[in-house]
Amino acid sequence: MNLVALVGRLTRDPDLRYSQSGIAVANFSIAVDRPFNRDETDFFDIVAFRKTAEIASQHLTKGRQIGISGRLQQERWETQDGEKRSKVVVVVDELTFIGSRS
């Protein structure tokens, strides 16, 4: 089972791009406070596809609080120097606006 649910604030505006096949892809990140220690924060890279990506790009800005449900996905690539790299991102299934636009 691969399920993730997060509530946090955007650390940057979404970056909307389109794949070669025309699919909308939005990348952004959120900051999530730890529940028992507000002095510690975790940062997560988020990716949304298709209509969700377009909605995120149109309505989300840095600082906006959102809720996300989705799944973890590991991205792997090789640098020009031949180094293997990877990172884990959250792929959005559902996006919820929380609070007011500020």
Side-chain angles (χ1 to χ4, degrees), residues 15-55:
D15 177 27
L16 180 66
R17 296 176 188 215
Y18 289 88
S19 70
Q20 290 179 345
S21 58
I23 296 173
V25 181
N27 291 287
F28 54 97
S29 60
I30 63 171
V32 178
D33 291 331
R34 293 196 180 171
F36 299 106
N37 188 352
R38 297 269 179 203
D39 295 335
E40 293 185 31
T41 303
D42 295 304
F43 297 88
F44 297 94
D45 290 326
I46 312 295
V47 62
F49 294 96
R50 296 180 177 78
K51 189 68 175 169
T52 305
E54 292 173 343
I55 290 169

Side-chain angles (χ1 to χ4, degrees), residues 1-5 69-72 90 93:
M1 187 175 298
N2 183 353
L3 301 172
V4 175
S69 64
R71 61 186 168 82
L72 295 177
V90 177
D93 288 327

Side-chain angles (χ1 to χ4, degrees), residues 83-98:
E83 257 186 90
K84 293 185 187 233
R85 299 280 177 107
S86 69
K87 73 175 182 175
V88 175
V89 298
V90 177
V91 178
V92 177
D93 288 327
E94 192 172 314
L95 177 67
T96 304
F97 301 113
I98 300 175

